Amino acid sequence: FAASELASFEAAGGGGRVTLSPVRVTVERSRGSILYAHLLNFRQLEAAWPLHCSHGVLQASNSMWVRPGWEAAVRTAGFSLGQDAVRWAPPLEVAAAHPFYRNVTTRGRHSWTYHEGSFYPMNELQAFRARLDAWLTAPGRELRRDVLQAFPFPEEFWLQNYVLNEGRGGHLALPVRTRQLCLRDDARGETQLVSPAMVDATASGATEYFAVKRVPRLVDHPIVRRIAQLTRPAAPPPRWPPTAPPPL
C-alpha cells in the first residue's frame, strides 16, 4: 500500500484506533505465511503504539467477534495456553522435522492448539519474532522457502512451543484448559460454516467464547447479517420527559 492509502484506511477505521501493516505476504492455507502475517501485524502495532499494547490476540480472516468483554479476559488470563495443549499428536511427526520447530522446542515440551483467538503478552510475541528473525540470518536460509512455505500449519505449533519451552508458559503453572477466545465449530467439519445456533449461544454468553469461526467472507450472507445485528450498538433510550408537542 502507498502511504496515502494506508492513511485513508486508518482514518476510516475510527481515527487512531486502527493501523494497517505496510508489509503484506501472500497467505496460503496450512503454510507458515499465516503465522508470519500475524507477526507482521504485531510489529506494526508496536510501531504505531510503542509500549502501549500489553497483549496480542490472533484472529482469523473468517472469524467474527460476537460479544464484548474479551479484553478483560485476556488481561486476567495472561496467555491462552493450558495443560491440554501440551501433547504429542500425529501432525507433530511432520511438523517436528522442521529445523525452526526444533530450535524453539528446547525443553522437549510439544504443543498443538489452534491459533484463532489465542493470545500472548506482547513481549513474548516480540521475543518470538526476534528469535525467528535471528534464525533466518543463518547462511542458506530463505524467508519464503523456510518460513512462508513451511508445512503443516506452523501457526498451530511454533509460537506455542516457544512459549512453553522458553517463554512464560515454561515458568508458570498452566491452567487445566486452553482458553482461546474464538469458538471453532469443528463438530460440523473443517469446511462447514458456524451454525446460527452457535452464533446465538456465543453472543448470549452461553459459551465461554467471544468470537466464532467459520464465518463466510460475504457481507450479505445471512450469518454475517445476523452477527452484524447482534453487535450493532443499542439505540439510545427514549428521551424523558418527552419533548412537548409544538403549539397548535
Side-chain angles (χ1 to χ4, degrees):
F1 290 119
S4 59
E5 292 175 309
L6 289 171
S8 66
F9 293 153
E10 292 175 352
R17 299 186 61 190
V18 174
T19 186
L20 286 143
S21 174
V23 180
R24 296 185 297 168
V25 294
T26 300
V27 173
E28 297 182 58
R29 186 176 185 269
S30 302
R31 301 285 178 174
S33 52
I34 293 176
L35 176 59
Y36 196 76
H38 282 297
L39 296 178
L40 290 174
N41 289 338
F42 292 132
R43 184 175 70 181
Q44 178 60 19
L45 284 177
E46 280 300 300
W49 300 294
L51 304 178
H52 180 78
C53 301
S54 63
H55 292 76
V57 179
L58 284 71
Q59 176 183 347
S61 63
N62 61 345
S63 65
M64 293 184 72
W65 301 94
V66 297
R67 72 181 179 104
W70 55 269
E71 298 93 337
V74 168
R75 293 189 181 101
T76 299
F79 63 102
S80 53
L81 288 176
Q83 296 176 26
D84 57 346
V86 184
R87 56 178 175 149
W88 180 268
L92 288 169
E93 295 175 1
V94 177
H98 193 285
F100 186 71
Y101 182 106
R102 298 195 298 269
N103 181 275
V104 296
T105 314
T106 53
R107 297 174 59 195
R109 303 184 77 187
H110 301 273
S111 173
W112 179 25
T113 181
Y114 66 82
H115 73 289
E116 296 93 340
S118 61
F119 53 91
Y120 305 90
M122 188 62 76
N123 58 3
E124 296 262 16
L125 295 166
Q126 292 171 328
F128 175 77
R129 190 187 69 235
R131 179 66 161 262
L132 181 58
D133 289 344
W135 182 83
L136 278 169
T137 62
R141 291 186 179 140
E142 300 175 3
L143 173 63
R144 177 172 177 78
R145 182 195 65 205
D146 297 323
V147 176
L148 301 184
Q149 288 295 316
F151 179 84
F153 29 93
E155 74 277 8
E156 300 193 358
F157 306 123
W158 290 6
L159 175 57
Q160 294 87 328
N161 278 18
Y162 175 81
V163 173
L164 278 175
N165 286 272
E166 299 206 6
R168 185 177 180 183
H171 302 286
L172 297 178
L174 297 177
V176 174
R177 295 180 59 250
T178 297
R179 299 161 293 192
Q180 275 106 333
L181 303 173
C182 180
L183 167 70
R184 286 196 353 180
D185 201 359
D186 284 346
R188 294 165 57 83
E190 290 195 0
T191 61
Q192 298 300 310
L193 300 177
V194 63
S195 67
M198 292 308 297
V199 170
D200 290 345
T202 302
S204 70
T207 79
E208 63 188 275
Y209 302 101
F210 297 85
V212 294
K213 177 183 175 173
R214 297 169 180 87
V215 174
R217 298 179 179 91
L218 300 169
V219 295
D220 59 347
H221 191 280
I223 291 179
V224 176
R225 291 204 303 267
R226 174 61 178 154
I227 293 174
Q229 292 172 349
L230 292 169
T231 57
R232 185 174 293 122
R239 184 174 177 179
W240 189 262
T243 304
L248 296 175

